[in-house]
Amino acid sequence: MFRAMIRKVPGAYRIARILGLVPRRADSRSFLLDMLPPKSVGVEIGVHKGDFSKSMLDVVRPKELHLIDPWKHEASTTYKDAWYGGQANGQAEMDERYRHVCARFEREIRRGQVTVHRACSAAALGGFPDEYFDWVYIDGNHLYEYVKADLELALAKTRPGGFIAGDDYTDGGWWQGGVKKAVDEFAAAQAVQLVAIRNDQFVFRKGPVA
Ligand SMILES: C[S@@+](CC[C@H](N)C(=O)[O-])C[C@H]1O[C@@H](n2cnc3c(N)ncnc32)[C@H](O)[C@@H]1O
């Protein structure tokens, strides 16, 4: 509630984090990483600079981690407050972020643990066989239609008993609550078990759970 309120005031969320009034991102998501099984096959949709990917590798120690992001700059006003829109210095910065992620995980890429897919989620995730993943983490385009599509695709690509989770389950934001709306509809319509909504994260298990 407090988090949703301060998100509406520009700059307030960052100040609240510095003052310790809301948990740091890494801490706020650690409960989720603790749920994911070691030696699993997982995917992160929306990678940015790879900070959460690094936590996934360190905590979960997956057998395979697929990182999906087009690193494409969005110039339209819809995205003026997005990290990959008005908050980035054009396509050059997106290209730099992609290079940074490839360099950051060079060792893991070389040994076949990490694969970077520079593509949008529909194309990249859609190319995997059904039920391929033990877990899918959704943090890509936060607009309603994209989250809805990511959730539906994630359901097909996750094995029964696997996890479908994601970030920014909040009201407001530049995405105008699109994540929350899509997630609430998904919870009502699909054969999934809601495991947690906590620290802006949502976590489902695909049924039937073993
Ligand atoms: C919020 S950031 C991801 C943050 C990252 N998960 C983390 O926690 O460090 C959102 C990312 O989604 C990416 N993105 C935008 N549209 C996408 C799409 N259609 N498919 C996959 N990723 C997308 C953006 O390029 C951006 O890097």
Side-chain angles (χ1 to χ4, degrees):
M1 179 72 170
F2 174 65
R3 245 196 299 261
M5 270 166 51
I6 57 175
R7 267 184 194 282
K8 290 182 180 146
V9 183
Y13 194 83
R14 179 188 285 267
I15 291 166
R17 255 180 33 212
I18 291 166
L19 295 176
L21 298 175
V22 294
R24 282 176 34 239
R25 298 290 288 148
D27 297 343
S28 68
R29 294 195 274 187
S30 60
F31 82 94
L32 161 60
L33 294 176
D34 289 341
M35 285 182 193
L36 303 177
K39 297 192 180 140
S40 47
V41 176
V43 56
E44 182 183 23
I45 297 174
V47 178
H48 188 51
K49 297 178 185 173
D51 289 350
F52 198 46
S53 327
K54 175 81 172 84
S55 302
M56 288 168 170
L57 285 167
D58 290 347
V59 178
V60 182
R61 300 183 180 279
K63 184 169 68 182
E64 283 177 37
L65 177 61
H66 293 269
L67 303 179
I68 296 176
D69 196 312
W71 286 284
K72 177 178 174 292
H73 185 252
E74 298 288 354
S76 89
T77 53
T78 305
Y79 295 94
K80 72 178 176 11
D81 292 324
W83 290 353
Y84 52 99
Q87 304 303 304
N89 193 10
Q91 187 56 44
E93 186 173 338
M94 303 306 290
D95 293 343
E96 179 48 39
R97 287 180 196 168
Y98 166 67
R99 283 193 293 272
H100 167 79
V101 167
C102 291
R104 184 172 191 177
F105 302 119
E106 191 191 352
R107 201 168 40 120
E108 292 83 357
I109 292 168
R110 231 183 308 115
R111 67 179 182 221
Q113 185 185 20
V114 166
T115 307
V116 178
H117 306 261
R118 190 172 189 179
C120 64
S121 49
L125 194 60
F128 283 90
D130 284 355
E131 303 187 357
Y132 185 81
F133 291 101
D134 295 303
W135 50 271
V136 176
Y137 185 74
I138 300 172
D139 195 14
N141 189 318
H142 285 22
L143 294 177
Y144 168 75
E145 311 81 61
Y146 287 85
V147 184
K148 180 175 158 58
D150 282 348
L151 285 163
E152 280 164 10
L153 203 48
L155 187 62
K157 302 300 173 186
T158 303
R159 67 159 171 85
F163 293 89
I164 299 169
D167 195 15
D168 290 318
Y169 178 90
T170 62
D171 291 314
W174 66 261
W175 55 92
Q176 300 186 329
V179 176
K180 188 170 187 294
K181 181 168 186 280
V183 167
D184 289 347
E185 287 177 5
F186 181 75
Q190 302 291 353
V192 287
Q193 179 188 319
L194 181 63
V195 177
I197 299 263
R198 186 166 145 197
N199 298 344
D200 298 348
Q201 310 297 298
F202 61 88
V203 187
F204 293 106
R205 280 192 94 168
K206 178 174 169 176
V209 176

